[in-house]
Amino acid sequence: MRLLVIGGSVFVGRAFAEEGVRRGWEVTVFNRGRTQDDPAGVRSLRGDRTDEADLAALAAAGPYDAVVDVCGYVPTEVARSAAALAQSADAYLFVSTINVYPDYPALPTDESSRRHGGRADAGPGEGDYGWLKDGCEQAVRAAFPGRVVVLQPGMIVGPHDRARRTTAWLRRAARGGRMAVPGTADRALRLIDVRDLAAFGLDLLAGAPRDAVEDYLLPGAPDNGTWGDYLAACVAATGARAELTYVDDSLFVDHDVEPWTEVPLWLPAGREEFVATWDASCAKALAAGLRCRPLATSVHETAAWLFTPGGESEAFEDYRQVGTWTPFLSPDKEAAILAAHDERNR
């Protein structure tokens, strides 16, 4: 297979490129070369997907058996990229998002759920993230009729993750001591490892017929780990110096803890707008061959990357660059929550 990855140096794109190389495919990555080095074994082409001359040169560097687009956010830009490659590539895989379904996460979601109805001709700023991604999907389908695979992941984890979820929990666990955790260990959690996402996508490109358009929702398998499994793995992967202390959600709320940012992956129980966050269906993808590694395995392998030289810098660089770095729950606030928990349970 001759694979083109638009992006290819950061997290999701990197996983696709590395998986293609692992399979012995001829992998080309196309990016601006501004973030980090491309994976070993790929052909690197520099350019900007918004530049017509760069897109023409990219098409001329083909042909490609398939394109993987991991960094399309504006429908008009995706439309130009797809149109430029329509005659030099056989198939197009677009990495979209679960957020193309506007009822998520308030209602259970699958591929038949109501969609945003974004426009393929929409420009930047014309809608929110999910609406624009829906428009991007439509743009790809128009340029590659019958030759499209769309992946709609939920929360993606794994090595090279820059979203400050697992990496933040690992840094907190590495600090040791009593570790305040909201909720209970048996709470559901649905995450997908970036390498499982990439392997599934390339399996589809290698074996899928070219006369069908398929969408796959990818929140992760429902049985690959609970909240407790995930956090216990964070502790174990960092030397077991931290002691998990499960605390009622209400104490985090009482101490004005910001869900998801101060405590990644936490949403207070009972909030109607988030009640189905972990209920999205992965049935179609699992039936098509998706294989998900246990969350504990993903956590340990993320820790192995994070705590090697350069790992932490890579993991948190985005937040430093744009000035939106939000620290994990502060030690003072965590101590106050633990004290309130102890008082309540005397």
Side-chain angles (χ1 to χ4, degrees):
M1 291 279 287
R2 296 162 297 181
L3 181 71
L4 168 64
V5 181
I6 300 178
S9 65
V10 177
F11 197 35
V12 178
R14 188 178 198 88
F16 272 96
E18 290 180 340
E19 177 64 15
V21 170
R22 189 190 69 78
R23 295 176 182 218
W25 294 6
E26 180 184 307
V27 180
T28 299
V29 300
F30 173 72
N31 56 55
R32 294 173 297 176
R34 296 179 181 175
T35 50
Q36 58 195 65
D37 293 340
D38 296 329
V42 305
R43 175 178 64 155
S44 300
L45 296 180
R46 298 291 179 240
D48 191 318
R49 69 182 303 158
T50 65
D51 187 294
E52 297 291 346
D54 288 349
L55 289 175
L58 178 63
Y64 312 101
D65 293 302
V67 178
V68 171
D69 187 346
V70 303
C71 54
Y73 304 102
V74 179
T76 51
E77 294 176 3
V78 171
R80 285 195 293 271
S81 303
L85 294 165
Q87 302 305 313
S88 59
D90 291 340
Y92 203 109
L93 184 152
F94 183 72
V95 179
S96 186
T97 172
I98 195 172
N99 296 109
V100 299
Y101 302 103
D103 295 326
Y104 174 83
L107 297 175
T109 303
D110 64 19
E111 289 85 354
S112 68
S113 296
R114 181 172 70 95
R115 299 178 63 100
H116 267 293
R119 299 196 327 270
D121 62 349
E126 291 192 37
D128 64 18
Y129 174 66
W131 188 87
L132 289 170
K133 275 289 199 177
D134 192 16
C136 291
E137 291 185 21
Q138 295 180 38
V140 172
R141 294 186 185 105
F144 280 74
R147 299 181 290 152
V148 177
V149 173
V150 175
L151 305 185
Q152 298 161 337
M155 308 304 161
I156 309 172
V157 295
H160 300 284
D161 183 6
R162 298 164 72 145
R164 205 187 61 84
R165 294 173 186 143
T166 301
T167 52
W169 278 111
L170 286 167
R171 289 220 309 190
R172 169 60 190 92
R175 202 170 73 228
R178 289 182 74 197
M179 184 167 149
V181 176
T184 58
D186 61 354
R187 182 171 288 180
L189 189 65
R190 299 281 294 280
L191 307 174
I192 186 163
D193 190 284
V194 68
R195 295 160 297 176
D196 298 333
L197 171 72
F200 177 66
L202 296 194
D203 285 347
L204 293 174
L205 289 176
R210 294 293 183 256
D211 59 352
V213 176
E214 292 284 357
D215 296 348
Y216 292 93
L217 196 58
L218 294 163
D223 59 352
N224 70 340
T226 63
W227 184 227
D229 295 331
Y230 173 79
L231 293 169
C234 289
V235 172
T238 53
R241 293 187 294 273
E243 174 192 349
L244 295 175
T245 303
Y246 286 92
V247 174
D248 192 88
D249 280 347
S250 63
L251 291 178
F252 279 75
V253 174
D254 291 347
H255 286 80
D256 298 320
V257 175
E258 184 67 29
W260 210 264
T261 52
E262 283 187 275
V263 180
L265 303 175
W266 169 63
L267 297 168
R271 293 271 291 271
E272 290 186 3
E273 66 269 39
F274 302 127
V275 70
T277 299
W278 312 118
D279 287 343
S281 174
C282 202
K284 181 179 178 182
L286 290 169
L290 172 67
R291 297 176 298 279
C292 292
R293 71 196 69 201
L295 278 181
T297 301
S298 182
V299 168
H300 278 267
E301 292 169 348
T302 301
W305 155 72
L306 181 66
F307 296 118
T308 55
E312 288 192 269
S313 176
E314 179 186 346
F316 298 106
E317 181 61 26
D318 289 349
Y319 292 88
R320 294 191 183 96
Q321 285 182 355
V322 299
T324 59
W325 167 252
T326 301
F328 191 78
L329 181 67
S330 72
D332 288 346
K333 189 178 285 189
E334 183 177 26
I337 291 170
L338 288 170
H341 169 76
D342 293 342
E343 180 66 27
R344 178 181 290 187
N345 289 278
R346 285 187 190 281

